[in-house]
């Protein structure tokens, strides 16, 4: 495992993102919609730097393919969303890779009468996008490598790392051994 962004790098990135979000929304009301499971760390760090009143909700998305390059079928679960009518909504995800997840999610949320919808991602992989949209706020652009930590997983593991690391081929192969599959809501 090779460290790509240290805890200090990530904390500085979160400070920058939070400053941009505060500049955009000030002390006005905001609904933060985090995408489970990968965004949990970013959401926790971000919301504690916002002014108020901030409402927090989570949706679930998974296009899980482990470290494979192509996403699998995209599944979305929006059951726990509050009424978004008239709300300013900020969708928060861990990483913008092909962009298909964010694209589909923004389309779904766009049908719910929000006053505005913007998106924030901690990471964006360079040269991977397959969609016409870009996130409004981006923490870091990173090379096209498979990363774990700070919320991001490899077959369910490594979300807890306080830094961001690149997995090498052998580590990816080990994570993909048949018995390593788990049943949690990955994504
Ligand atoms: P997209 O739909 O291709 O943009 O993929 C977004 C989702 O794929 C992210 O929310 C992650 O769950 C997952 N993903 C993409 N790249 C990585 C990675 O390098 N490590 C871990 N998860 C990833
Ligand atoms: Mg995800």
């Amino acid at each position: 495992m090779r460290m790509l962004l240290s805890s200090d790098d990530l904390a500085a990135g979160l400070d920058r993102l939070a400053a941009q979000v505060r500049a955009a929304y000030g002390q006005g009301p905001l609904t933060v919609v985090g995408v489970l499971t990968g965004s949990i760390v970013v959401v926790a760090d971000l919301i504690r730097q916002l002014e108020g009143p901030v409402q927090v909700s989570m949706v679930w998305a998974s296009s899980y393919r482990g470290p494979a390059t192509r996403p699998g079928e995209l599944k979305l679960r929006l059951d726990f969303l509050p009424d978004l009518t008239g709300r300013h909504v900020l969708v928060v995800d861990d990483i913008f890779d092909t962009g298909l997840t964010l694209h589909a999610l923004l389309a779904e949320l766009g049908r719910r009468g929000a006053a505005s919808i913007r998106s924030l991602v901690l990471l964006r992989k360079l040269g991977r996008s397959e969609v016409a949209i870009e996130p409004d706020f981006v923490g870091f652009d990173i090379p096209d490598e498979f990363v774990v930590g700070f919320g991001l997983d490899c077959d369910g593991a490594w979300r807890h790392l306080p830094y961001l690391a690149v997995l090498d081929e052998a580590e990816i192969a080990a994570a993909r051994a048949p018995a390593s599959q788990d049943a949690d809501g990955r994504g």
Side-chain angles (χ1 to χ4, degrees), residues 103-148:
H103 185 264
L105 193 51
L106 291 175
E108 279 293 328
L109 297 178
R111 292 196 260 277
R112 294 172 182 242
S116 70
I117 304 181
R118 281 188 264 207
S119 58
L120 177 151
V121 294
L122 177 68
L123 308 166
R124 175 171 56 190
K125 266 191 209 175
L126 289 172
R128 292 272 303 159
S129 179
E130 296 181 13
V131 297
I133 55 154
E134 287 291 339
D136 297 285
F137 307 98
V138 177
F140 300 91
D141 281 313
I142 63 168
D144 180 11
E145 294 183 287
F146 195 79
V147 290
V148 293

Side-chain angles (χ1 to χ4, degrees), residues 63 65 71 93-102 125 145-148 152-153 187:
S63 57
R65 66 269 198 178
D93 205 358
D94 51 0
I95 187 166
F96 185 94
D97 181 22
T98 63
L100 293 167
T101 303
L102 196 61
K125 266 191 209 175
E145 294 183 287
F146 195 79
V147 290
V148 293
L152 292 104
D153 71 307

Side-chain angles (χ1 to χ4, degrees), residues 15-36:
D15 288 350
R16 282 195 301 274
L17 285 168
Q20 291 170 22
V21 173
R22 285 195 305 268
Y25 298 99
Q27 302 193 351
L30 177 64
T31 298
V32 169
V33 175
V35 184
L36 292 168

Side-chain angles (χ1 to χ4, degrees), residues 8-187:
D8 286 349
D9 295 334
L10 290 158
L14 255 304
D15 288 350
R16 282 195 301 274
L17 285 168
Q20 291 170 22
V21 173
R22 285 195 305 268
Y25 298 99
Q27 302 193 351
L30 177 64
T31 298
V32 169
V33 175
V35 184
L36 292 168
T37 304
S39 76
I40 54 173
V41 180
V42 184
V43 168
D45 280 357
L46 178 72
I47 59 176
R48 287 179 292 168
Q49 293 201 47
L50 300 184
E51 294 166 346
V54 174
Q55 180 185 40
V56 181
S57 177
M58 304 299 282
V59 295
W60 180 85
S62 182
S63 57
Y64 207 79
R65 66 269 198 178
T69 312
R70 285 294 313 149
E73 185 201 350
L74 178 63
K75 296 183 184 134
L76 294 179
R77 293 286 305 270
L78 309 183
D79 320 28
F80 298 121
L81 268 183
D83 181 10
L84 298 181
T85 310
R87 302 283 312 179
H88 293 285
V89 174
L90 179 65
V91 179
V92 175
D93 205 358
D94 51 0
I95 187 166
F96 185 94
D97 181 22
T98 63
L100 293 167
T101 303
L102 196 61
H103 185 264
L105 193 51
L106 291 175
E108 279 293 328
L109 297 178
R111 292 196 260 277
R112 294 172 182 242
S116 70
I117 304 181
R118 281 188 264 207
S119 58
L120 177 151
V121 294
L122 177 68
L123 308 166
R124 175 171 56 190
K125 266 191 209 175
L126 289 172
R128 292 272 303 159
S129 179
E130 296 181 13
V131 297
I133 55 154
E134 287 291 339
D136 297 285
F137 307 98
V138 177
F140 300 91
D141 281 313
I142 63 168
D144 180 11
E145 294 183 287
F146 195 79
V147 290
V148 293
F150 214 76
L152 292 104
D153 71 307
C154 180
D155 278 350
W158 305 116
R159 293 192 198 277
H160 63 289
L161 298 177
Y163 51 85
L164 193 79
V166 176
L167 289 188
D168 66 31
E169 295 297 328
E171 291 163 326
I172 290 172
R176 303 198 77 190
S180 76
Q181 293 285 319
D182 68 1
D184 85 336
R186 292 167 277 177

